[in-house]
């Protein structure tokens, strides 16, 4: 029984120190830092000029009157 | 971008509830990856990237394009794949550093209410397209192995009526060069796939010249790319310079000369200028690809197996997520409906090279060599 417990602890340690776990920890810290940065929840979305893919200018302040989900991305 | 189909599923469920979704096109996170893309220099070029992203990623979520000074990215915390939910009054109500479609669904269930029928990610079949194809062969010229380098700020001198930047400079420096002024400077001239140009190897090779401050010490201030036997190719022309002393506030002026052709007939002798600064460019992304560091195959496959819910050592269609899912059938090379460890390693090969998924990249991935006339 004692050996089984020891084995469980060892296994848990092994999992925690795996690259996957390290990656998860890094992502968690990144998330925690990010929520503290401006704009924090409750702040207005900064108003800047952006473009449609065909080049039409518009302001981010125009994104009103509905819930909006914004996700940053690119081709890579 | 890791999970397009996941967000597309949430979009399909919440569009009818009045929620609007947008992807924001920003500077490239990983230049040289996924079709050998390089950072655009002009807004017109960035808009073309965004239109390609619409086609290539196949989502119905529309794109917004950030300005060339990356103002929206800067205003929203400078992350490559962050996500925000804004309420009808324009107030940020949710934010996360990395896009997480399951999290967005949970948020919207709280904010807007649940939907009757949930679209599952595995039921979303995106109409994906392949990256822009190079107009001539790649893999002809041996790539330079760069040491650990970071992109530095460089400004192309854009002339209103000048030729396009067929080749675009990627300037990187080792940490020591950025911090102390002594180290290695990488100069890579990468053909922009959107310009559809290839090198003309029948004429003089690409060359560059650096104007350096008087107090600077550079091992070399000019260079000529080695002659290439093939008449044309699209591999980058790369240089690694030893720098002994580069004063912090004194930029370098670089002039590059090369011959680039669009198709078989139209060739241009090009001379273009840049100014290089000894400081890190936080918007330039980290290059990925041959010579710039690949995903480790084993590590990647192991990470993917974290999603192996039934612990059979393989991933089924319902267990894979993100970029892999839209390509599942192509990546399942033995057609058993599961992705095994070896197949997952092949996924990292695909991501590293971004050839057609499920097939190793060969020279045939590019169009056949182009015949050129001897005179440029």
């Amino acid at each position: 029984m004692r050996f089984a417990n020891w084995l469980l602890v060892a296994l848990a340690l092994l999992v925690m120190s795996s690259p996957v776990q390290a990656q998860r920890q890094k992502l968690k810290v990144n998330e925690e830092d990010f929520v503290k940065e401006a704009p924090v929840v409750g702040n207005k979305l900064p108003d800047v000029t952006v473009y449609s893919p065909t080049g039409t200018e518009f302001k981010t302040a125009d994104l009103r009157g509905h819930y909006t989900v914004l996700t940053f991305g690119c081709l890579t | 971008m890791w999970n397009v189909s996941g967000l597309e599923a949430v979009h399909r469920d919440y569009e009818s509830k009045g929620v609007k979704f947008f992807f924001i096109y920003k500077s490239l996170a990983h230049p040289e990856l996924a079709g050998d893309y390089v950072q655009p220099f002009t807004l017109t070029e960035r808009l073309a990237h965004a239109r390609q992203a619409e086609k290539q990623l196949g989502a119905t979520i529309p794109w917004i394009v950030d300005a060339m000074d990356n103002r929206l990215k800067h205003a929203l915390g400078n992350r490559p794949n962050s996500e925000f939910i804004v309420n009808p009054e324009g107030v940020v109500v949710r934010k996360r550093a990395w896009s997480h479609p399951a999290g967005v669904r949970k948020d919207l269930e709280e904010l807007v209410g649940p939907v009757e029928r949930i679209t599952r990610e595995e039921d979303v079949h995106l109409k994906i397209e392949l990256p822009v194809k190079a107009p001539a062969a790649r893999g002809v010229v041996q790539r330079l192995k760069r040491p650990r380098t970071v992109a530095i700020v460089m400004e192309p001198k854009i002339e209103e009526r000048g030729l396009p930047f067929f080749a675009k400079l990627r300037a990187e420096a080792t940490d020591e060069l950025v911090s102390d002024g002594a180290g290695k400077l990488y100069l890579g001239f990468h053909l922009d796939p959107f310009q559809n140009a290839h090198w003309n190897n029948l004429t003089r090779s690409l060359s560059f010249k650096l104007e350096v401050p008087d107090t600077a010490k550079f091992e070399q201030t000019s260079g000529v790319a080695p002659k290439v036997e093939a008449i044309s190719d699209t591999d980058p022309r790369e240089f690694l310079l030893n720098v002994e002393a580069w004063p912090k506030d004194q930029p370098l002026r670089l002039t590059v000369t090369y011959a680039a052709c669009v198709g078989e007939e139209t060739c241009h002798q090009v001379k273009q200028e840049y100014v290089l600064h000894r400081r890190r460019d936080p918007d330039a992304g980290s290059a990925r690809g041959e010579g710039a560091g690949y995903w480790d195959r084993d590590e990647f496959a192991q990470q993917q197996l974290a999603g192996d819910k039934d612990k059979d050592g393989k991933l089924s269609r319902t267990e894979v997520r993100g970029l892999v899912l839209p390509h599942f059938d192509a990546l399942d090379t033995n057609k058993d409906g599961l992705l095994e460890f070896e197949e997952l390693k092949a996924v990292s090969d695909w991501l590293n090279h971004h050839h057609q998924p499920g097939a190793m990249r060969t020279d045939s991935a590019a169009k056949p060599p182009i015949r050129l006339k001897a005179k440029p």
Side-chain angles (χ1 to χ4, degrees):
Chain A
M1 195 63 187
R2 265 187 202 163
F3 176 73
N5 281 343
W6 176 85
L7 193 68
L8 275 176
V9 171
L11 274 174
L13 282 173
L14 195 71
V15 170
M16 279 164 69
S17 61
S18 69
V20 177
Q21 195 61 29
Q23 179 73 6
R24 279 189 190 153
Q25 186 60 26
K26 211 172 124 188
L27 288 176
K28 193 168 163 249
V29 171
N30 190 22
E31 268 320 323
E32 286 166 0
D33 288 346
F34 187 66
V35 292
K36 292 179 205 151
E37 292 168 20
V40 295
V41 165
N43 285 169
K44 285 255 180 213
L45 181 74
D47 185 22
V48 299
T49 301
V50 288
Y51 304 86
S52 78
T54 50
T56 310
E57 269 187 31
F58 67 96
K59 306 278 275 176
T60 46
D62 296 342
L63 301 169
R64 297 245 173 123
H66 45 75
Y67 277 96
T68 308
V69 179
L70 298 171
T71 306
F72 278 93
C74 62
L75 272 170
T76 60
Chain B
M1 287 186 68
W2 185 248
N3 199 340
V4 173
S5 49
L7 203 61
E8 179 73 14
V10 187
H11 172 234
R12 288 185 189 177
D13 290 346
Y14 278 90
E15 195 182 18
S16 59
K17 287 190 169 276
V19 180
K20 295 209 189 295
F21 288 68
F22 294 98
F23 286 127
I24 304 166
Y25 200 91
K26 48 169 274 298
S27 52
L28 292 176
H30 299 298
E32 298 172 46
L33 185 73
D36 306 304
Y37 292 125
V38 291
Q39 297 289 9
F41 283 178
T42 64
L43 179 64
T44 307
E45 290 177 337
R46 186 177 274 185
L47 295 174
H49 272 231
R51 292 194 297 271
Q52 174 65 20
E54 283 176 344
K55 289 193 285 180
Q56 193 175 314
L57 302 173
T60 62
I61 298 170
W63 287 80
I64 287 174
V65 185
D66 198 4
M68 289 307 284
D69 58 9
N70 303 301
R71 58 187 73 156
L72 189 55
K73 176 176 172 254
H74 294 170
L76 290 178
N78 241 340
R79 307 296 165 99
N81 190 207
S82 55
E83 200 156 65
F84 298 81
I85 302 181
V86 181
N87 75 7
E89 289 73 46
V91 174
V92 175
V93 288
R94 297 284 191 281
K95 64 181 289 194
R96 48 177 60 87
W98 289 100
S99 170
H100 183 48
V104 173
R105 181 177 291 283
K106 201 165 155 280
D107 291 339
L108 291 177
E109 281 170 357
E110 289 165 16
L111 296 164
V112 184
V115 292
E116 273 178 32
R117 197 181 150 273
I118 290 174
T119 303
R120 294 178 309 168
E121 188 184 336
E122 55 266 35
D123 294 332
V124 171
H125 293 276
L126 301 174
K127 259 184 80 184
I128 46 177
E129 284 187 19
L130 285 174
V132 174
K133 207 174 215 179
R138 287 186 73 92
V140 174
V141 178
Q142 178 86 38
R143 293 293 306 271
L144 199 72
K145 287 267 177 278
R146 343 179 181 170
R148 268 179 80 92
T149 46
V150 293
I152 55 168
V153 175
M154 59 92 195
E155 302 161 90
K157 191 177 164 195
I158 297 168
E159 286 168 5
E160 215 172 301
R161 289 177 186 199
L163 286 167
F165 281 72
F166 300 108
K168 292 185 163 66
L169 172 65
R170 174 88 184 163
E172 296 190 356
T174 51
D175 284 340
E176 307 81 63
L177 180 54
V178 175
S179 59
D180 310 327
K184 289 193 187 297
L185 175 66
Y186 166 84
L187 301 173
F189 299 92
H190 296 251
L191 285 168
D192 182 347
F194 284 96
Q195 296 295 347
N196 198 31
H198 53 92
W199 304 116
N200 177 0
N201 297 332
L202 297 176
T203 182
R204 269 185 303 175
S205 305
L206 175 143
S207 63
F208 76 88
K209 234 179 218 163
L210 278 174
E211 262 178 62
V212 304
D214 292 343
T215 49
K217 270 195 211 161
F218 278 65
E219 188 190 51
Q220 61 183 105
T221 52
S222 63
V224 182
K227 180 90 188 135
V228 178
E229 284 304 315
I231 54 172
S232 74
D233 71 285
T234 54
D235 287 318
R237 302 296 188 249
E238 302 172 293
F239 304 88
L240 197 59
L241 276 59
N242 281 317
V243 180
E244 284 172 45
W246 178 5
K248 178 100 186 141
D249 299 320
Q250 299 192 33
L252 315 175
R253 199 168 290 279
L254 182 147
T255 308
V256 62
T257 308
Y258 59 90
C261 303
V262 178
E264 294 180 24
E265 303 283 339
T266 317
C267 291
H268 304 276
Q269 197 63 36
V270 187
K271 193 174 189 180
Q272 286 163 335
E273 283 180 37
Y274 296 85
V275 175
L276 277 65
H277 298 270
R278 206 193 99 192
R279 63 171 195 272
R280 194 172 172 223
D281 184 351
D283 294 316
S286 61
R288 279 287 171 95
E290 201 164 355
Y294 282 143
W295 271 290
D296 180 87
R297 302 176 86 228
D298 288 275
E299 200 179 303
F300 179 88
Q302 203 62 52
Q303 278 186 6
Q304 289 301 298
L305 282 177
D308 178 22
K309 288 184 196 135
D310 60 7
K311 304 287 170 210
D312 64 348
K314 301 167 186 179
L315 295 184
S316 65
R317 221 185 144 78
T318 56
E319 289 170 332
V320 293
R321 285 289 175 266
L323 267 181
V324 181
L325 185 58
H327 303 281
F328 190 95
D329 295 337
L331 295 163
D332 177 23
T333 40
N334 66 0
K335 304 292 168 206
D336 65 347
L338 297 162
L339 296 183
E340 290 93 52
F341 198 71
E342 285 306 311
E343 284 170 333
L344 288 169
K345 287 206 283 192
V347 176
S348 71
D349 287 338
W350 162 63
L351 287 169
N352 284 332
H353 298 276
H354 223 85
H355 50 64
Q356 194 151 1
M360 281 308 291
R361 178 181 177 150
T362 59
D363 272 355
S364 63
K367 289 174 188 166
I370 287 170
R371 291 182 305 280
L372 278 177
K373 293 183 175 157
K375 254 180 84 183

